[in-house]
Amino acid sequence: VGTKLRLAIDTGALDGIGQDLVAMCVNDLVCQGAEPLFFLDYFATGKLSVDAAARVVEGIARACAASGAALLGGETAEMPGMYADGDFDLAGFAVGAVERDAILPRPVQPGDVLLGLESDGVHSNGYSLVRRTVAMAGLGWEAPCPFAADRTLGDVLLQPTRLYVAPVRAALARGTLRAACHITGGGLSENLPRVLSDGCAARIDLAAMPLPPVFRWLVDTAGLDETEALRTYNCGIGMVLVVTPEGAEAEAAALTEMGERVRVLGRIEAIEGPAAVHYTGTLA
């Protein structure tokens, strides 16, 4: 979960970081068309706090249950002298299974439609810059959030990564899905080309994805330009599905009924050369 863990430790808000850990694994697995089967975790610290470890593992267990994966077990390591008091490290992995004829991505075609599933916030990437931006603003984690006054800044920035296993698996079963892309480090710009064929570009209309307040504040406070913002953060889109044009409208409706917030981002277009992402419009 990267340096988001530093924020969780500093605030003592440990209940959601386990979901971040699971989501970063199972959201990647499902992009291969796989069904998550089981998960194992690794918790390392200088001196074990049973309460802290229990809160983290409870979050892992909840996320595994929501993803249909068994929490088989894990490793807890006490290593005196390796960590400062109260600090710990966290890692994990998931194993899934997929039939050969269901492996994603399938060949993407010009005209295919890009459906963006909204994120629940910053998720688990870009937190070194998040922490620096908060320091630049002269704010503490317990300060009222500048764009959501009823919450603290730390609470908003610790919103757990959304779990996308159920919607992606459902789209795969309906037969409209050609590719799925989990938007993590590198944002849309660096993740989407991984699921595209050479000779194809994702043409995205930025006007179709209004920037949520948390990202607007982070971008403006840090003075990021649009290119850097799109390469650092998910900018409000946590998963992109490439679907057949004839099935796009029905798929968007079905995903919305499942509780996903769906944005029609654009289409696949033919180009000369390697896979790429092209933008029109601006982040609003």
Side-chain angles (χ1 to χ4, degrees), residues 6-282:
R6 180 75 264 160
L7 172 51
I9 292 170
D10 288 349
T11 61
L14 305 178
D15 300 289
I17 203 74
Q19 177 168 321
D20 287 302
L21 182 66
V22 174
M24 293 299 284
C25 295
V26 298
N27 286 349
D28 279 354
L29 267 183
V30 78
C31 289
Q32 312 302 311
E35 176 184 4
L37 298 180
F38 59 85
F39 185 89
L40 288 92
D41 66 86
Y42 171 73
F43 185 101
T45 186
K47 181 175 175 57
L48 182 66
S49 164
V50 174
D51 175 67
R55 289 169 65 193
V56 171
V57 174
E58 284 170 4
I60 292 171
R62 286 193 300 270
C64 284
S67 303
L71 177 56
L72 286 190
E75 171 77 6
T76 301
E78 273 192 314
M79 295 186 286
M82 288 291 291
Y83 298 91
D85 288 347
D87 279 2
F88 62 88
D89 200 6
L90 189 63
F93 73 94
V95 172
V98 57
E99 299 289 346
R100 287 187 188 278
D101 60 0
I103 292 174
L104 295 176
R106 295 165 176 163
V108 170
Q109 307 292 331
D112 286 347
V113 177
L114 300 161
L115 299 180
L117 307 186
E118 290 188 7
S119 67
D120 282 344
V122 186
H123 285 184
S124 299
N125 300 101
Y127 272 84
S128 295
L129 180 57
V130 166
R131 290 163 52 235
R132 185 175 179 87
T133 302
V134 171
M136 287 169 54
L139 297 174
W141 303 123
E142 299 304 319
C145 184
F147 47 88
D150 58 332
R151 301 173 68 185
T152 66
L153 185 57
D155 181 43
V156 171
L157 292 173
L158 279 169
Q159 183 71 30
T161 305
R162 190 171 181 85
L163 297 162
Y164 293 105
V165 172
V168 177
R169 294 279 300 166
L172 183 60
R174 285 188 285 265
T176 65
L177 189 60
R178 296 207 204 271
C181 183
H182 185 201
I183 307 304
T184 54
L188 289 163
S189 300
E190 295 182 9
N191 282 284
L192 261 176
R194 298 175 183 175
V195 303
L196 304 180
S197 314
D198 286 345
C200 288
R203 173 68 66 178
I204 293 177
D205 179 9
L206 294 176
M209 45 177 285
L211 205 58
V214 61
F215 294 106
R216 173 52 61 199
W217 183 80
L218 288 168
V219 168
D220 289 349
T221 304
L224 296 183
D225 62 29
E226 190 172 89
T227 299
E228 194 64 22
L230 287 164
R231 199 168 54 198
T232 304
Y233 296 124
N234 68 59
C235 291
I237 301 296
M239 179 73 72
V240 176
L241 306 185
V242 185
V243 301
T244 59
E246 60 273 10
E249 185 175 349
E251 189 58 59
L255 290 165
T256 300
E257 196 160 317
M258 291 183 71
E260 297 301 316
R261 304 178 301 275
V262 184
R263 299 275 182 181
V264 180
L265 300 179
R267 290 182 178 269
I268 300 297
E269 62 182 15
I271 60 168
E272 294 289 334
V277 180
H278 296 159
Y279 297 107
T280 58
T282 58

